[in-house]
């Protein structure tokens, strides 16, 4: 019986892929690590709070890391080729970063997102040469993106499925390794808590795996906005609960995405939407840092955990993320008229934050 040979190799394709990977690695190589900023809290002399400022990436958010990893994953897995349409379902920041990398590689890019996405984020995607497709039903963005990719014979990046596997959680300059390395000279080098939001779930999966891999006692807290499905999935993994989604851009989903791994999360905190926005305003007023509402979600929970630690006589450090720059939200979450139109009263939650910050007492 003679040999049967099937050869799919194409030297020209491989040459383009090799060049594309080199460009992505060069972006990583020339980008300095993001800063870990110490944020003083007057009422907590024995607790140190840090913000990992991910807004300083070239595309202005934490999602720069994810987008680069998704492109590398697609290229190294033989899924992305020269001239291919790249498609993503995104609430905004991921698509901004992906449009940046698609443009770098000379690939057309389409982002599918909910119609309520902030105009400033849409403008950023279009500035990078991307095309935006807006849909009325936030729960349909993945299906629409998948259909566009199939119709154009393109590649659907699918951040909600691949975020947890595209990033090497063992190291390789991931976010968790960066945080731990930057804390080495601090008085509490092993954080008590790392607090993150969940959009894909990839960040909490990376950090949760990394602290176990390193044998750290650090615990991971996920913060979840109103009407998101992650709380139900944490309480009962695999329950299949669906919701209406989230009004806090970048975090919260109408379903628990495949990249969310509840088994590596130690605590989940549901934060009211008005509290998320209030905490972002509080951060701006107290520190001058202008951050998006998902940062506010995590900061609100950080204040609660700090009060809990203080009440229990514990010392240690808490780390959370400054996910993106609030300049993207000046016409929405930082607009008094827009906030009022959402029916949000920020004043009670500002009172909670001020009392926690100054007196170490949680009244929420």
């Amino acid at each position: 019986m003679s040999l049967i040979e099937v050869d799919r190799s194409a030297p020209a394709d491989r040459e383009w892929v090799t060049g594309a990977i080199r460009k992505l690695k060069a972006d990583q190589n020339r980008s300095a690590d993001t800063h870990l900023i110490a944020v003083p809290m007057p009422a907590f002399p024995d607790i140190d709070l840090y913000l990992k400022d991910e807004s300083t990436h070239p595309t202005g958010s934490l999602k720069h890391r994810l987008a680069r990893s998704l492109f590398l994953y697609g290229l190294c897995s033989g899924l992305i080729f020269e001239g291919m349409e790249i498609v993503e379902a995104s609430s905004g920041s991921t698509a901004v970063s992906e449009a940046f990398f698609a443009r770098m590689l000379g690939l057309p890019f389409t982002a599918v997102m909910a119609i309520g996405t902030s105009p400033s984020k849409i403008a950023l995607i279009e500035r990078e040469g991307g095309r935006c497709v807006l849909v009325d039903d936030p729960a349909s963005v993945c299906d629409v993106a998948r259909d566009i990719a199939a119709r154009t014979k393109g590649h659907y990046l699918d951040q909600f499925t691949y975020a947890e596997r595209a990033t090497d959680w063992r190291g390789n300059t991931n976010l968790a390794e960066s945080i731990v390395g930057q804390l080495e000279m601090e008085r509490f080098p092993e954080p008590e808590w790392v607090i993150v939001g969940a959009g894909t779930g990839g960040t909490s999966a990376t950090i949760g795996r990394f602290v176990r891999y390193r044998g750290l006692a650090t615990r991971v807290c996920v913060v979840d906005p109103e009407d998101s499905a992650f709380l139900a999935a944490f309480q009962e993994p695999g329950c299949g609960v669906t919701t209406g989604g989230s009004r806090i851009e970048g975090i919260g989903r109408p379903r628990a995405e495949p990249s969310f791994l509840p088994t590596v999360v130690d605590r989940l905190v549901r934060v009211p939407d008005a509290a998320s926005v209030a905490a972002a305003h509080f951060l701006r007023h107290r520190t001058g840092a202008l951050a998006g509402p998902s940062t506010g979600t995590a900061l609100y929970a950080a204040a609660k955990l700090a009060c809990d630690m203080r009440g229990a006589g514990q010392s240690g450090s808490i780390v959370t993320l400054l996910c993106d720059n609030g300049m993207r939200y000046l016409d929405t979450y930082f607009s008094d008229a827009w906030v009022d139109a959402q029916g949000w009263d920020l004043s009670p939650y500002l009172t909670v934050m001020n009392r926690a910050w100054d007196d170490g007492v949680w009244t929420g």
Side-chain angles (χ1 to χ4, degrees):
M1 183 176 180
S2 59
L3 292 173
I4 298 176
E5 299 184 57
V6 179
D7 189 348
R8 289 182 177 171
S9 64
D13 287 344
R14 181 65 67 85
E15 183 178 352
W16 182 86
V17 167
T18 300
I21 291 170
R22 183 177 181 84
K23 289 178 181 178
L24 295 175
K25 292 170 73 174
D27 171 83
Q28 180 176 322
N29 192 55
R30 64 176 172 261
S31 299
D33 198 3
T34 59
H35 293 172
L36 188 66
I37 302 170
V39 183
M41 295 187 295
F44 303 92
D46 298 319
I47 299 172
D48 295 336
L49 174 66
Y50 300 90
L51 285 176
K52 179 70 165 162
D53 187 2
E54 293 292 286
S55 72
T56 58
H57 284 294
T59 54
S61 82
L62 165 69
K63 299 301 185 179
H64 192 85
R65 295 179 190 265
L66 172 60
R68 185 171 54 217
S69 294
L70 288 167
F71 271 93
L72 284 169
Y73 182 85
L75 288 163
C76 294
S77 299
L79 302 173
I80 297 176
F81 298 101
E82 185 175 10
M84 178 176 280
E85 176 95 7
I86 303 298
V87 187
E88 181 63 286
S90 170
S91 62
S93 287
T94 302
V96 173
S97 299
E98 289 170 340
F100 170 86
F101 286 115
R103 185 176 187 178
M104 177 187 292
L105 302 181
L107 301 174
F109 177 76
T110 297
V112 181
M113 58 187 68
I115 199 165
T117 301
S118 66
S120 57
K121 281 190 178 179
I122 294 171
L124 287 171
I125 295 165
E126 292 176 341
R127 187 188 71 186
E128 296 293 349
R131 178 175 72 101
C132 297
V133 174
L134 304 180
V135 298
D136 292 324
D137 180 9
S140 70
V141 293
C142 294
D143 291 335
V144 174
R146 192 177 291 108
D147 289 346
I148 291 173
R151 188 170 65 251
T152 62
K153 298 189 183 329
H155 175 61
Y156 172 34
L157 288 168
D158 195 0
Q159 59 168 320
F160 300 109
T161 296
Y162 294 106
E164 59 89 8
R165 67 192 74 171
T167 302
D168 182 1
W169 49 268
R170 297 170 187 85
N172 191 28
T173 69
N174 71 42
L175 181 63
E177 182 181 54
S178 176
I179 290 170
V180 170
Q182 289 176 322
L183 284 171
E184 283 181 354
M185 303 298 291
E186 304 299 308
R187 62 171 177 163
F188 304 117
E190 187 173 316
E192 184 70 21
W193 287 100
V194 176
I195 305 171
V196 297
T200 63
T203 301
S204 60
T206 297
I207 295 172
R209 286 165 162 169
F210 181 84
V211 297
R212 285 162 173 77
Y213 181 65
R214 283 288 188 91
L216 305 179
T218 300
R219 290 174 288 174
V220 177
C221 174
V222 165
V223 288
D224 203 34
E226 292 178 34
D227 209 19
S228 169
F230 289 120
L231 173 61
F234 183 71
Q235 292 174 315
E236 186 182 346
C239 64
V241 169
T242 58
T243 67
S246 167
R247 293 197 290 171
I248 302 300
E249 282 192 31
I251 59 173
R253 294 290 297 157
R255 66 173 191 176
E257 302 297 346
S259 284
F260 179 63
L261 305 181
T263 52
V264 300
V265 175
D266 298 287
R267 182 178 297 184
L268 191 142
V269 176
R270 169 60 57 81
V271 176
D273 289 346
S276 297
V277 181
H281 284 245
F282 173 89
L283 180 68
R284 184 184 190 184
H285 174 70
R286 286 297 188 102
T287 71
L290 184 59
S294 61
T295 300
T297 312
L299 185 67
Y300 197 78
K304 171 62 163 61
L305 290 177
C307 289
D308 290 348
M309 289 174 62
R310 182 179 186 271
Q314 298 174 337
S315 59
S317 57
I318 299 172
V319 180
T320 188
L321 308 179
L322 198 164
C323 301
D324 59 1
N325 194 302
M327 290 293 291
R328 298 178 174 184
Y329 308 101
L330 291 180
D331 54 354
T332 53
Y333 298 95
F334 287 100
S335 163
D336 291 340
W338 189 89
V339 168
D340 289 343
Q342 310 310 305
W344 290 331
D345 181 5
L346 307 189
S347 56
Y349 301 105
L350 289 170
T351 299
V352 170
M353 287 296 296
N354 281 303
R355 185 71 191 280
W357 215 256
D358 295 328
D359 302 326
V361 177
W362 186 255
T363 57

